[in-house]
Every structure is written in structure tokens, then in C-alpha cells.
Amino acid sequence: MSENNSKAEEIVEEKAEEEEQEKKKEEKVIPYLEDVPFFGLQKLIVLKNKGIDPELIDEYIAKDGYQAAAKALLEMTPEEIIAEMKTSGLRGRGGAGFPTGLKWEFANKSEGDIKYVLCNADEGDPGAFMDRSVLEADPHAILEGMIIAAKAVGAHQGYIYCRAEYPLAIKRLNIAISQATEYGLLGNDIFGSGFDFHLEIYQGAGAFVCGEETALMHSIEGKRGMPRPRPPFPAHQGLWKKPTVLNNVETYANVPQIIFNGGKWYAGIGTETSKGTKVFALTGTVKNIGLVEVPMGTSLRTIIFDIGGGVPKKKKFKAVQLGGPSGGCVSEEFIDTPVDYESIAKVGAIMGSGGMIVMDNQTCMVDMARFFMDFVQDESCGKCTPCREGTRHMLQILEKITRGEGEPGDIDTLEELSEVIKDAALCGLGQTGPNPVLSTLQYFRDEYEAHIFEKRCPAKRCPALLEFEVDEEKCIKCGICFKRCPTEAITWEKKQPAKIDKDKCIKCMTCITNCPSDAIF
Amino acid sequence: MQQLQNLKALNPDLTEEAMSRVDEIIDRNKGKPGCLIPVLEECQGVVDYLPMELLEYIGSRLNIPGSTVYGVVTFYSFFTMVPKGRHTIKVCMGTACYVRGIGEVQNRLQSKLNVKVGNTTEDRRFTLEAVRCLGACGLAPVMVVDSVTYGGVSPDSALKIVDKYE
Amino acid sequence: MARLTADGLLKLKEKVKNENALSKDGYTVKITVHLGTCGIAAGGDVVYEALKEEIEESKRDDIKVVISGCAGMCSSEPNVTIGRIGEDAVIYRDLDAEKMRKIFQGHVLGGEILNEYAMARIKEPV
């Protein structure tokens, strides 16, 4: 009883505290942007132009725009551009981290009169929106990056493959392309250099696997977007069997500044193996949600707790998920890991394209693994058996576990299937698909075991494993659940603990999500 | 022309006006390499969906086998072969939205509107869709009705929002 | 529009930079509405409309309104940045039409920063 009272008091106290903070806010001196940790701790390269009008090319030009293109086209040979890119140490920002300069060199040396430059703007990783923001805020940077890449490999035609779900990005890209064309920055004889480059937008039609390079090229060819085995690599045989370079949006956004400021300048930022900055889309249970650009090597703790402001009150940090359905999560004990390609891989996640989702103690890790497996299964193109059948089987097991029907041996089967799929799948989608399961097993095996052996969901997220009963000891009799219940299944009177009528309850989770004292189980 | 009239008899949604726009789209794109997907995207914009009769017509006009057209349409989630409701509700199934409770919103919409995700209500008022990340994670959980985005939705507020659409 | 040469590019850059400096073109206030997908979804377009109405009513022709992409902190959207000539610019957060109108009256016309809605100030002159 006294405990209940103290809980109630705690809540009142917290409210008072909040009000006080509110007051302070009103009296506060407005800090300078660089003194706000969210902004001050960032280093902006890719996002440096985020305040300009993206629909006016002049604004981009006023920020030194297209000067790198002029330099590349008028003063540099393809070999010099490639050398500069190699010096910079820039690695592909789509997730795999292949050195960009090397990729361009392969395509440059590849024989052929027709070559293509492609931009992968098919940002399909759920929970990631870095590329969308760059395309919407600074589309000309992508155009300029592609012009430079075209010169480096000797291509005269480019495509931007953008998802149909990003209508504003497509609109602004179209405006950018027509303005650049009017200025003669796209088309024939750019800057009077004799170099031609034409650029078109290709709208994707909603298939995650099209983020894979060979699948993306099939899609542009008008076919089902299925991957094919490599080699031959796109640098030798890509779009329409011609040598092709494909880079992601963020990679291209770095290129103009590397050419403008020099590769050495860029290599001075970041760590030994991972140069420059990385943009993350910081979301989930974190105070400051948004785009965060930091030098490589910044720790996860700095990003989540200093820049992101940590998890909101009353909630506790549990894990951070990186790389979406291809990645994994990192638990609190490894929160000081620096973000660079190698360190992140060492702790069981991947750098990925930049999705960073913070999870609190109300997130069930088994359900999370099920969520990602559902995604991979749904997006599997069906071409290769390990991915098509293997992910389906894994999903069935995970669904079974979250329904409370898990059996001993399920974890072993999951691990076994994971290994086979990783080794045998045709493309990156399948090869990385088991990662969310493996990494949650690595850090939260006890949660799997609680589901299977105790038929219990520790995070209270799996409805099948919940009783929907009120713990009268914990209940503070506030009546919130009673007011929120959509089916009037809860009875409550002032100063009395709530009661749930199981016949009326539809297990919608509203009461559990809203209970301030964690009293419903 | 004979073929056009037949189409209208087979499917009343393929009106002469719609088909003349379809023809215009095909004429504009015909011969370009890889034109099938853009053509399908534009045609779906005209007819709202891609019925089998239309797929056969597009295939024959572009000299692409009907099986290939069908293969492409069924591969990409953007395309639909069944008509949609007057309003389309999209719940965002991105990770950020999921962590913040879009699953419960979806369940409540399904039971209240009596429709499963991916389907249309009997009165054709709503089509309920689950989409992969909309890229508005800052507002999670997110729901889109037609072209209006609603952020921070709960099961209760979602029902109130869809009530506004007739 | 003329095709650009490398030299022309530099000249254009200087010209735009000059024009953008508020004093040069008769503008005394520059207002940036941050309209990315997330900003629009959070209600940025409603804020933008309210702002345009206020400007029209004020009959001031020295206020320049521009749009831009996302300002970066999605959880604080919609965002608007207001810069008055010779003063620090202020970026406001969590706006709606009503707050926008208040800020327009208070800050843009009255020169008083509305602390309760402000997120940060920006040193560089607009």
C-alpha cells in the first residue's frame, strides 16, 4: 500500500519537475546552434547545404556548387580524379563499404564504348531516411557527384533510381535536372569541355531487393528486379551488359567536396580505415529524432546520448539497431563502440546505410527479430532456394515462439538455418537476412529462452504470452486503462484497482502500453 | 479500334477516354529500352489499377509477351491488379513506426473497418495497406490517408482520422 | 538562360552571394521554412500558408520567404528560421499556424524573439 502511494507521489513529483523545466524554458537564454549538442557535435559535409532552397540552382552555385565539376571536367584527367578519390579513402555509403575510387577504376579500365553511371536512391531499409533528406535538401550535390563519376569512368548516360515512395525527392530532382540542363551543366559539351553527360530519373516500383545492384539494373531494363550471380561484376557487365558504376546517394554527395577540397582534406577526417563522415537517421525511443552527421569513429554513446539526448524519461535504453534487416543490434555493454565499418561489424551489427533505431526495455527482441525476418521473407525475390525457403522457415519458427508455442531445439534450428542461408544465398538480401536473428541471439538469448521455456515475454510485447490481468499490488488505481480501453473490458472505480474482463478483452495492448505503473501482465 | 471497344465490354473501367490516354502513354514511350515499368506506372495512374485486359493490351502494343508483363506487375508492390477503395490508408511498417506501436494501430484499423491489410472494404470506401518505410521516421508512428500524412498516431486517433473520410 | 563556362560559374556565384545579402536587394528579413517530407507531414505546409497570409496582411515588401529541405531535427518540426538584418537568426521549433502568426507579429514585425518557441540562434548573418 505504502509503495503504491510512493509511486503516485513519484508521478506527481515528476509532473512538478516537468512544469519547472517548462518554466525554465520560457526564461532561458536561447543558445547558439553550435552550443546545442544535437547540432554542435555534428560535422557537416553531406548535409552542409541543408538550409538552401533546393529548387533554385543559383543557391547551390552560391555555395561553391558545380566548381568541382568544372575542375574535374576542365583540369583533371579521369586517372587524376580516381587518384583523388583513392586518396580520400571514401567507401561506399550504401552499407558494404567498398572503396569508391577502386570501383571507379575498375569501370574506367573496363573496355567498352558505352558505359553508365547509376545512383542508387532506392532507400528501402525501413527506418532510414538519410538519402531522402539529402535528395530533398540538396539534389544538385548528387548531380554534380554523378557528373564527376561520369568523367572518371568515361560514361555519357546516367540514371538515378529513386523509390516511388519519395515523390518530393523525385520532384526536386526533376527540377534540379532541368535547371542544370538549362545552364549547360548537363547535356553536351559541359563547360565547353567537350564532355557530354545526360541524366534521367528512373522511378522504382516498390521492391526492396532492387537496392541490390544487379537487381536494380534488371529493374531499369524493365524486368523483374531479381539479382544475378556475380561475377561478372557491374564494372565489367552492368546495365544492358555495359560497364556500369553504381553508387549510393550519400556517396555521390561526398564527391564534389572531395574534388573541391582535395582527397587529403577528406582523409583527415575519420579513422584509419573509415574516412570522412557518416549520416545516420537516428530514430526510435530517443529524445532528439533526426539526421545526424558525425565523423567516422564517433562512439554510439555520443550519438545516442549526447546528440540524441538519450531515451526519454521512465524508459531505459536496451539496444540500438543498425543496418535494418541486414544488420544487427548492439546492446548496452558495447555502447562505446566507435562507428566505423570494422568496429561495428566486430560487435555483430553492420554500418549499413545509416538507419539507427534506439530501442527501450519495452521492445521485445524476439518480436524485433520476427519483424525483420517477416520483412526479408516478404521481400525475398524467390530466385534462390536458401533465401526463399530458408527465410520462410525461420519466420515460421519465430512466429511460433512469439505465439508461445516455442519448443526446445528451436534456437538451434534457427542458428543452423542462419548459417546455411548466409553461406548459400545468391545476393546480399539473403546473405545478410539472418543477421537480426543472430545478433539478438548473441545479446538477448535469455529473452528467446524465456519465450520458449517459461512462456513469458519479458518486454511484455507479445500478446499471446500475456495474461491481461491487473497486479493489484502494483496498480496505482489511476483509471487510465479504464479510460483508454476501446472495448470497455476494464472496470474501475476511484480508489479501487482496475479489473479486466477477459471475454471482452481483444488484447489490443492499449492498457499495457499506457499503464504508468507497469501493473498489467 | 475494334480492340478498344472490346476492352470496354470486358472491363467497364477501361473507358474510351482512359484508353486514349493509355495509347498516348504507350506512343510516347514505345521503343525506349526498359520502358515497360514507366508505362505501367503511368497507366496505373490513369486507370487506378492494372486489370488483366489492360496488361494484355499493353503487352501487345509494346511487343512484349503478356507473361512478361504479368511477371513484372506481380513482382513490384507498387502495382495492383484489383481496384482500390475511394481512400487509401497506408500504415507505415518501418522499424521506427513498429517500435513506436504501429502494429496496434494496424490491428485496430483491421478490426474496426473489417478489412485485412492489402484489401479493400466491401463498400469500397477504404483500401488498407501496410507500406515499407515512408521515410518520415521522425513522426513515428505514421499513417497516410490518400496523400495526407498523420504523425504520432495511436489506435484511437487513427480511428478518428479515418472517420473523416467518406 | 545562357550556358555556363567555368568563369561564368564563378561570376554567378559572386552575383548570387551579393544578391542574397539582405541589404543589397531591399529585403530586411529572410524567413526560411524547412519543408522536407517530414516537415510537411508535421504540418510545415500549414505553417507556410499562415506565414504567407501574415506577410500579405502586413503589406511589407521587404520580407523574403524561402523554402529548404529538412533542418535535421525531425522531432522538433515544423521548423522556421527567421533572420532580421544585422541580427542573429533564430530557428523556431514545434510550430503550428497560430505560433507562426505570433512569431510573425512578435519577432518579424516587433523585433522581440519569442523565447518559448525558439530552439537556437545562428551566428552567421543571413
Side-chain angles (χ1 to χ4, degrees):
Chain A
M1 201 58 208
S2 65
E3 201 187 305
N4 291 344
N5 281 340
S6 72
K7 272 250 166 68
E9 272 165 26
E10 219 172 83
I11 288 170
V12 173
E13 261 172 39
E14 271 173 17
K15 240 190 184 163
E17 212 174 291
E18 267 168 30
E19 271 166 24
E20 203 168 297
Q21 275 185 350
E22 230 17 72
K23 245 187 212 164
K24 266 188 201 157
K25 235 188 218 170
E26 278 170 35
E27 293 160 6
K28 75 177 174 185
V29 183
I30 306 163
Y32 280 103
L33 204 60
E34 50 271 34
D35 297 329
V36 178
F38 181 83
F39 296 103
L41 292 170
Q42 296 196 39
K43 169 143 188 79
L44 304 184
I45 294 178
V46 172
L47 302 177
K48 86 169 168 89
N49 287 338
K50 65 185 178 182
I52 68 168
D53 188 333
E55 297 181 10
L56 291 176
I57 189 171
D58 286 6
E59 295 269 318
Y60 181 69
I61 288 172
K63 298 265 184 180
D64 298 323
Y66 288 107
Q67 288 190 41
K71 188 175 165 188
L73 262 43
L74 297 168
E75 298 166 23
M76 296 172 86
T77 64
E79 289 70 27
E80 282 168 344
I81 299 172
I82 290 167
E84 204 66 51
M85 292 305 294
K86 282 178 154 178
T87 308
S88 76
L90 177 66
R91 295 169 65 177
R93 295 292 190 250
F98 193 81
T100 308
L102 206 55
K103 197 185 243 185
W104 293 8
E105 189 174 43
F106 289 149
N108 170 287
K109 290 196 173 146
S110 197
E111 304 236 335
D113 45 346
I114 299 173
K115 296 180 185 179
Y116 295 104
V117 169
L118 309 182
C119 173
N120 186 348
D122 191 45
E123 186 174 52
D125 175 358
F129 52 96
M130 307 74 51
D131 294 348
R132 175 182 63 72
S133 283
V134 174
L135 293 167
E136 286 175 5
D138 198 13
H140 286 286
I142 313 302
L143 270 47
E144 190 178 2
M146 290 183 76
I147 295 169
I148 295 166
K151 163 87 186 218
V153 304
H156 302 292
Q157 174 69 47
Y159 293 97
I160 301 174
Y161 188 94
C162 188
R163 348 172 33 204
E165 288 90 338
Y166 287 175
L168 186 64
I170 292 173
K171 178 187 152 207
R172 288 187 178 162
L173 276 171
N174 269 319
I175 293 173
I177 288 175
S178 73
Q179 290 181 346
T181 307
E182 273 188 53
Y183 273 162
L185 301 171
L186 287 174
N188 293 334
D189 193 21
I190 302 168
F191 290 123
S193 64
F195 185 79
D196 308 337
F197 184 58
H198 300 267
L199 191 54
E200 276 176 51
I201 297 174
Y202 196 93
Q203 197 175 315
F208 177 69
V209 72
C210 288
E212 200 275 345
E213 55 181 10
T214 59
L216 186 148
M217 290 167 201
H218 282 154
S219 184
I220 295 182
E221 290 169 6
K223 303 174 188 155
R224 285 165 77 94
M226 286 185 172
R228 61 159 175 80
R230 296 171 300 180
F233 285 94
H236 300 121
Q237 270 189 33
L239 186 63
W240 287 301
K241 296 217 164 35
K242 303 291 181 193
T244 302
V245 155
L246 172 80
N247 287 119
N248 136 293
V249 169
E250 190 182 337
T251 312
Y252 282 125
N254 276 298
V255 171
Q257 293 183 65
I258 290 171
I259 297 301
F260 187 71
N261 296 313
K264 269 201 186 126
W265 160 80
Y266 194 81
I269 305 160
T271 67
E272 189 57 39
T273 58
S274 306
K275 301 297 184 193
T277 59
K278 177 80 194 89
V279 183
F280 290 100
L282 184 62
T283 63
T285 324
V286 62
K287 264 189 204 153
N288 304 327
I289 290 170
L291 282 191
V292 175
E293 182 172 7
V294 289
M296 291 280 191
T298 307
S299 77
L300 287 169
R301 184 186 296 281
T302 305
I303 298 173
I304 297 165
F305 288 91
D306 299 335
I307 296 176
V311 296
K313 246 187 182 176
K314 286 188 237 170
K315 301 202 167 164
K316 200 178 156 309
F317 175 83
K318 182 169 184 175
V320 55
Q321 215 280 349
L322 290 137
S326 312
C329 56
V330 179
S331 71
E332 193 165 15
E333 68 185 295
F334 292 106
I335 193 74
D336 287 309
T337 306
V339 287
D340 64 59
Y341 291 95
E342 281 72 24
S343 306
I344 292 292
K346 229 181 266 170
V347 293
I350 62 162
M351 175 78 84
S353 58
M356 188 181 274
I357 294 145
V358 180
M359 297 169 183
D360 64 19
N361 47 350
Q362 281 186 352
T363 311
C364 169
M365 301 318 272
V366 186
D367 185 50
M368 228 37 243
R370 186 204 58 75
F371 170 80
F372 283 121
M373 193 47 71
D374 183 49
F375 182 92
V376 173
Q377 211 291 309
D378 193 42
E379 296 292 347
S380 171
C381 77
K383 184 167 178 174
C384 75
T385 321
C387 177
R388 184 183 65 237
E389 301 300 325
T391 57
R392 181 180 297 274
H393 201 56
M394 284 183 78
L395 176 63
Q396 282 168 354
I397 294 175
L398 291 165
E399 283 176 343
K400 210 175 73 173
I401 296 175
T402 52
R403 277 200 312 266
E405 295 160 16
E407 296 164 79
D410 277 350
I411 295 180
D412 296 336
T413 314
L414 282 175
E415 282 176 329
E416 201 181 320
L417 282 166
S418 296
E419 291 310 317
V420 174
I421 298 170
K422 277 179 86 160
D423 288 344
L426 172 62
C427 80
L429 175 76
Q431 287 158 12
T432 59
N435 283 353
V437 175
L438 290 174
S439 85
T440 45
L441 271 172
Q442 181 183 349
Y443 295 113
F444 302 98
R445 202 183 186 91
D446 54 328
E447 282 194 32
Y448 281 83
E449 288 167 350
H451 280 74
I452 295 171
F453 299 109
E454 300 164 39
K455 306 294 173 206
R456 185 172 65 82
C457 175
K460 296 214 244 183
R461 292 300 291 178
C462 298
L465 294 174
L466 296 170
E467 300 289 334
F468 291 94
E469 274 178 34
V470 178
D471 182 339
E472 296 192 0
E473 293 276 304
K474 277 188 176 173
C475 179
I476 56 165
K477 301 158 186 153
C478 63
I480 289 177
C481 57
F482 163 76
K483 284 170 206 151
R484 296 277 174 94
C485 179
T487 58
E488 295 175 354
I490 298 180
T491 46
W492 167 82
E493 270 169 49
K494 270 186 189 166
K495 294 188 182 169
Q496 291 297 319
K499 271 203 174 55
I500 302 176
D501 179 347
K502 286 192 187 175
D503 291 334
K504 285 188 188 165
C505 174
I506 55 167
K507 299 193 172 186
C508 72
M509 306 289 293
T510 303
C511 54
I512 292 186
T513 314
N514 287 297
C515 178
S517 66
D518 199 22
I520 303 168
F521 62 92
Chain B
M1 221 47 223
Q2 182 61 35
Q3 207 182 352
L4 280 182
Q5 272 163 11
N6 283 348
L7 277 176
K8 199 183 168 187
L10 286 170
N11 187 321
D13 290 330
L14 300 177
T15 60
E16 270 156 45
E17 195 214 333
M19 290 313 293
S20 78
R21 286 175 66 194
V22 165
D23 276 332
E24 185 271 317
I25 292 164
I26 293 173
D27 292 338
R28 184 156 35 81
N29 286 284
K30 201 174 178 183
K32 282 189 202 167
C35 68
L36 177 59
I37 294 174
V39 166
L40 290 170
E41 277 170 352
E42 282 195 54
C43 289
Q44 182 166 297
V46 171
V47 189
D48 279 341
Y49 70 111
L50 298 167
M52 190 62 99
E53 299 82 14
L54 183 59
L55 297 188
E56 283 168 359
Y57 180 75
I58 292 171
S60 71
R61 290 277 333 262
L62 291 175
N63 281 332
I64 297 173
S67 57
T68 306
V69 181
Y70 180 77
V72 166
V73 167
T74 49
F75 185 83
Y76 295 98
S77 63
F78 186 80
F79 299 124
T80 170
M81 290 180 61
V82 288
K84 289 200 170 168
R86 293 193 294 285
H87 306 286
T88 303
I89 306 169
K90 294 177 186 160
V91 286
C92 178
M93 273 290 156
T95 319
C97 289
Y98 190 73
V99 170
R100 291 190 161 216
I102 197 72
E104 280 95 44
V105 174
Q106 178 185 307
N107 289 342
R108 189 80 76 77
L109 285 170
Q110 287 194 120
S111 63
K112 187 78 183 181
L113 302 174
N114 193 22
V115 62
K116 283 263 171 235
V117 162
N119 291 300
T120 301
T121 54
E122 258 176 41
D123 58 2
R124 270 208 183 179
R125 184 172 165 208
F126 291 114
T127 298
L128 183 62
E129 290 178 357
V131 293
R132 299 306 182 195
C133 195
L134 290 162
C137 312
L139 308 165
V142 171
M143 174 176 101
V144 177
V145 186
D146 297 337
S147 58
V148 184
T149 308
Y150 297 91
V153 292
S154 66
D156 288 338
S157 70
L159 290 184
K160 273 188 202 135
I161 290 165
V162 300
D163 260 355
K164 291 191 293 194
Y165 293 84
E166 259 321 304
Chain C
M1 247 179 276
R3 293 170 58 86
L4 285 179
T5 58
D7 197 35
L9 186 70
L10 284 175
K11 278 186 188 146
L12 180 61
K13 175 191 156 188
E14 290 311 318
K15 182 175 157 257
V16 178
K17 265 186 136 169
N18 267 325
E19 278 174 5
N20 275 358
L22 280 178
S23 54
K24 297 276 172 162
D25 55 4
Y27 289 112
T28 64
V29 185
K30 179 183 172 186
I31 305 178
T32 307
V33 187
H34 301 276
L35 290 179
T37 293
C38 39
I40 293 170
D45 48 350
V46 181
V47 169
Y48 187 40
E49 287 306 316
L51 174 65
K52 284 197 285 193
E53 275 174 38
E54 286 290 321
I55 293 174
E56 193 155 308
E57 271 169 40
S58 75
K59 301 210 164 46
R60 292 263 300 254
D61 55 6
D62 59 337
I63 299 169
K64 187 175 180 177
V65 181
V66 296
I67 59 158
S68 83
C70 170
M73 202 204 270
C74 309
S75 47
S76 69
E77 283 179 325
N79 294 129
V80 169
T81 303
I82 293 175
R84 283 162 51 96
I85 194 161
E87 295 174 15
D88 288 337
V90 175
I91 175 161
Y92 288 97
R93 60 177 296 164
D94 296 311
L95 296 184
D96 55 30
E98 195 194 335
K99 288 181 193 170
M100 185 69 245
R101 289 178 200 280
K102 274 197 210 164
I103 292 166
F104 186 82
Q105 294 296 333
H107 186 181
V108 178
L109 300 182
E112 288 279 323
I113 297 171
L114 274 75
N115 284 8
E116 65 265 46
Y117 307 135
M119 176 155 74
R121 49 173 93 212
I122 304 165
K123 263 179 204 155
E124 61 184 275
V126 267

